[in-house]
Amino acid sequence: MLAPPICLDVAASKSIKIYFIWRFPSILSKHLFLIFCGVYSRKKMRSLRLLVGVILISVVSAQEPGAARILAAKRILNQYLVQRKDLIVEYNLYNIGESVAYDVHLIEENFDKELFDVVSGFPKAHWDRIPPSQNVSHVIILQPKHYMSFNFTSARIQYKSGESQDASLVVGYTSAPGEGQIWEINQFNRQFAPHYADWITFLIMTIPTVGIPYLLWYRSKSRYDVSKTVLNKKL
């Protein structure tokens, strides 16, 4: 019975992909039989040795540990974006590689100082290392100065695959939340605020219309009760 197809996919700086077709065992056995019988020429022998060498090198490379790979996500945690209200931005970095990521930098250049005030946190963050299968997070709190339609783009990340100075530098980007609408604060309050001041004003205005008729009714009822009590005593 012939062997099923095998595919090895190695994620590294240069991806090495080896495909063993399901007919490979039978073809290899045929070549070995021809070599044993002395049918192959020197040129074909060199080609065959080169092919076998490439396969062996690829298999050895596939067994080596992969490099660090970081996936980064950028999220806006607010349900509504409002002028002069806190806007919370969260960053999550995941190392899905097989080795440690060193000297990791997160650089946010999307929020201009003319458009946003930084309330808490920093637009840049740094981690010395992120081990494999580990994640880190970073939060920054801003306040939009104006109401507008704003495009939340990606932040930049960069890290090294080793501790040495000549280690390769990898540059990537986070996910992009996309475009969001920042509400004008007065318009937002009209639609979504609890309106406590409006309800208090309404109650104060209804006191005369409800209180004065109640006082008149209570005075007339009290007079009627007194006169009825006096009449009952005379009888």
Side-chain angles (χ1 to χ4, degrees):
M1 185 175 179
L2 298 179
I6 301 174
C7 176
L8 299 177
D9 190 355
V10 181
S13 58
K14 293 184 179 179
S15 299
I16 303 173
K17 295 183 179 180
I18 312 161
Y19 297 95
F20 293 93
I21 306 176
W22 65 277
R23 293 177 56 88
F24 181 74
S26 60
I27 295 175
L28 182 60
S29 61
K30 177 181 177 181
H31 287 311
L32 292 175
F33 176 77
L34 292 176
I35 292 173
F36 178 78
C37 295
V39 178
Y40 258 41
S41 63
R42 291 184 178 179
K43 185 176 182 181
K44 290 185 177 180
M45 284 289 293
R46 286 196 298 268
S47 300
L48 183 60
R49 284 198 297 267
L50 179 62
L51 176 62
V52 173
V54 169
I55 293 174
L56 291 176
I57 293 173
S58 301
V59 171
V60 172
S61 300
Q63 296 175 351
E64 295 178 356
R69 296 182 62 190
I70 291 182
L71 295 182
K74 174 181 176 180
R75 296 189 304 159
I76 307 298
L77 301 185
N78 299 68
Q79 183 179 4
Y80 299 104
L81 311 179
V82 187
Q83 175 191 12
R84 296 199 299 274
K85 296 282 188 180
D86 288 349
L87 188 156
I88 305 173
V89 185
E90 182 184 48
Y91 307 87
N92 290 293
L93 280 68
Y94 307 88
N95 185 359
I96 63 172
E98 299 178 7
S99 60
V100 179
Y102 297 93
D103 195 21
V104 183
H105 290 267
L106 170 68
I107 304 169
E108 177 61 87
E109 299 176 339
N110 187 209
F111 303 112
D112 194 344
K113 292 182 179 180
E114 297 181 357
L115 301 177
F116 295 89
D117 288 328
V118 178
V119 178
S120 178
F122 299 94
K124 294 182 181 180
H126 172 258
W127 297 269
D128 292 332
R129 53 191 295 159
I130 301 178
S133 303
Q134 297 293 324
N135 67 289
V136 295
S137 61
H138 179 68
V139 175
I140 181 174
I141 301 177
L142 310 164
Q143 281 191 358
K145 295 182 179 181
H146 312 284
Y147 61 94
M148 56 187 162
S149 179
F150 187 78
N151 185 22
F152 295 91
T153 58
S154 302
R156 180 163 54 94
I157 59 171
Q158 61 184 39
Y159 57 93
K160 292 183 179 180
S161 57
E163 289 185 290
S164 60
Q165 295 182 354
D166 57 347
S168 60
L169 180 65
V170 181
V171 178
Y173 296 89
T174 67
S175 59
E179 190 170 348
Q181 179 63 41
I182 299 176
W183 289 70
E184 197 270 330
I185 186 169
N186 293 326
Q187 183 180 3
F188 176 82
N189 290 335
R190 282 195 297 269
Q191 296 195 23
F192 300 102
H195 303 287
Y196 293 125
D198 297 339
W199 280 107
I200 293 173
T201 304
F202 172 77
L203 291 175
I204 293 174
M205 293 177 64
T206 56
I207 287 176
T209 57
V210 177
I212 293 174
Y214 174 77
L215 290 175
L216 294 175
W217 170 83
Y218 183 77
R219 290 178 66 181
S220 62
K221 179 177 179 300
S222 299
R223 290 177 182 177
Y224 174 77
D225 291 340
V226 170
S227 60
K228 184 177 180 182
T229 303
V230 173
L231 182 62
N232 289 335
K233 288 182 178 180
K234 289 181 180 181
L235 295 176

